Amino acid sequence: MTTELDHQVTFLIEIDKLKGIDRRSPLVDRSRLENSAEHSWHAATSAAVLAPYAATGVDLCRVVRMLLVHDIVEIDAGDTFAYDQEGRRSQHEREAAAAARIFGLLPETQSTELTDLWKEFEAMETPDALFANAVDRYLPLLHNYYTEGSTWRGHRVTSDQVMQRMACVEQGAPALWPYVQTLIDDAVQRGYLLAD
Amino acid sequence: MTTELDHQVTFLIEIDKLKGIDRRSPLVDRSRLENSAEHSWHAATSAAVLAPYAATGVDLCRVVRMLLVHDIVEIDAGDTFAYDQEGRRSQHEREAAAAARIFGLLPETQSTELTDLWKEFEAMETPDALFANAVDRYLPLLHNYYTEGSTWRGHRVTSDQVMQRMACVEQGAPALWPYVQTLIDDAVQRGYLLAD
């Protein structure tokens, strides 16, 4: 007889694979690339620390859970680089199939709950999703800044591209927005990021 | 002028180091040792998935935040192996100093909040701390079982030692307790774990 716990354990063992999915960004000490599991931890922890900058009405508990599961689809779909136009075209389809398979390992109620949280994160419409995305994008900005633009320089990213990607911060974490603009300007000044 | 955000960013950059702290347990695919940052992600996510097994009155939001920060002290104090009697004697002192330094990077209110969460986790007295510890200990049990006792066998761990370490599951996640006992018995049967 398969119990609910069997399904939950299967899911918990399956998501161990997220520790093997590399992102494009290095750790701050530049010793190696960061993986998506440790990034998810950093993002969820950052949400708790940056909660004072969130827009009104944001539910921190939901945001943290959203950030814990937001990258799980990468186990099947891989990490798509933020500035890879080609990869981003097929990203949605690949990730939707991954969500169906991986969250589908769980008992139905939990599967639906986590799938809905992930979809909400992706849609970037609710205050919770906007704040979660703001944190998820602010963190690589810090990583890049503190590694002298390691990922930006390698991919010739421009300040306009970063500004566009950071737009959700203005809605999701309005109190953080002026700092983001200053950091981007400073990164251009220091030569970490290309001016447009 | 140093803003609150400067302190928060210093903290967020500092805790990146947790990604470089190795635990004794390998990933499920045994490709390398697990680090404490990705373990913290796995533990926090597991708490959300295993919430149905928690004792009455457990606040999942607090448990998740507790698990996100429970290992941060290891940046200074290192990971102390669960069955290392010698290391565990000096563990408390080393970790208290680490908590003071690392959480102390944050603005005062947040520093106090995270220090208190960490202390509560360590004291294992409240329902939230007991559930958080239950999850934190159940996960290595699964990891060990699914890697045929990789860590247990290397350190000649006995079923009695594991049972003792799992005792908090009975209080923190009573609905999980019978499964833990069965898993330990099965691990002994399969030769993953020494009988007493």
Side-chain angles (χ1 to χ4, degrees), chain A residues 130-194:
Chain A
L130 284 163
F131 181 57
N133 273 277
V135 172
D136 187 47
R137 291 166 186 218
Y138 181 58
L139 210 45
L141 188 75
L142 291 180
H143 261 85
N144 251 300
Y145 185 86
Y146 285 91
T147 54
E148 301 178 348
S150 55
T151 320
W152 290 331
R153 292 208 285 194
H155 295 83
R156 300 192 60 74
V157 175
T158 69
S159 63
D160 235 24
Q161 287 178 296
V162 176
M163 269 301 212
Q164 247 179 0
R165 191 155 167 81
M166 290 297 146
C168 62
V169 175
E170 196 170 3
Q171 286 178 275
L176 209 57
W177 183 236
Y179 298 99
V180 167
Q181 290 177 301
T182 307
L183 200 75
I184 292 174
D185 289 345
D186 194 33
V188 171
Q189 287 289 325
R190 288 171 185 263
Y192 302 164
L193 182 61
L194 289 176

Side-chain angles (χ1 to χ4, degrees), chain B:
Chain B
M1 197 187 72
T2 311
T3 63
E4 291 233 319
L5 184 62
D6 290 326
H7 291 287
Q8 286 149 338
V9 166
T10 302
F11 174 79
L12 294 180
I13 294 297
E14 178 65 21
I15 65 171
D16 202 70
K17 293 177 185 164
L18 195 61
K19 300 167 186 171
I21 304 295
D22 280 344
R23 290 162 56 82
R24 302 294 172 108
S25 45
L27 301 188
V28 172
D29 70 7
R30 303 192 218 184
S31 56
R32 60 167 171 83
L33 291 180
E34 186 185 28
N35 70 60
S36 292
E38 58 198 7
H39 158 71
S40 298
W41 163 77
H42 211 170
T45 308
S46 300
V49 169
L50 299 173
Y53 305 91
T56 326
V58 165
D59 177 343
L60 180 63
C61 292
R62 293 191 77 245
V63 169
V64 167
R65 277 190 296 142
M66 211 178 263
L67 285 168
L68 287 174
V69 304
H70 82 292
D71 271 347
I72 285 179
V73 293
E74 295 182 0
I75 289 171
D76 287 354
D79 177 49
T80 306
F81 186 48
Y83 305 103
D84 168 11
Q85 293 302 326
E86 194 59 42
R88 292 183 80 78
R89 264 191 279 278
S90 63
Q91 185 181 7
H92 181 73
E93 203 175 322
R94 286 182 287 121
E95 292 191 348
R101 184 188 76 77
I102 305 169
F103 295 133
L105 297 170
L106 285 166
E108 200 177 334
T109 321
Q110 289 190 320
S111 170
T112 306
E113 190 201 346
L114 296 200
T115 306
D116 288 350
L117 263 180
W118 170 73
K119 282 185 182 164
E120 184 179 336
F121 175 84
E122 289 295 314
M124 290 180 59
E125 287 167 356
T126 64
D128 292 353
L130 284 163
F131 181 58
N133 273 277
V135 172
D136 188 46
R137 291 167 185 217
Y138 181 58
L139 210 45
L141 188 74
L142 291 180
H143 261 84
N144 251 299
Y145 185 86
Y146 285 92
T147 55
E148 302 178 347
S150 55
T151 320
W152 290 331
R153 292 208 286 193
H155 295 83
R156 301 193 58 75
V157 175
T158 68
S159 63
D160 235 23
Q161 287 179 296
V162 177
M163 269 299 212
Q164 246 178 2
R165 192 157 166 79
M166 290 297 147
C168 62
V169 175
E170 195 171 3
Q171 285 178 276
L176 209 57
W177 183 235
Y179 296 100
V180 166
Q181 290 176 301
T182 307
L183 200 75
I184 293 174
D185 289 345
D186 194 33
V188 171
Q189 287 289 326
R190 289 171 185 264
Y192 302 164
L193 181 60
L194 289 176
D196 304 308

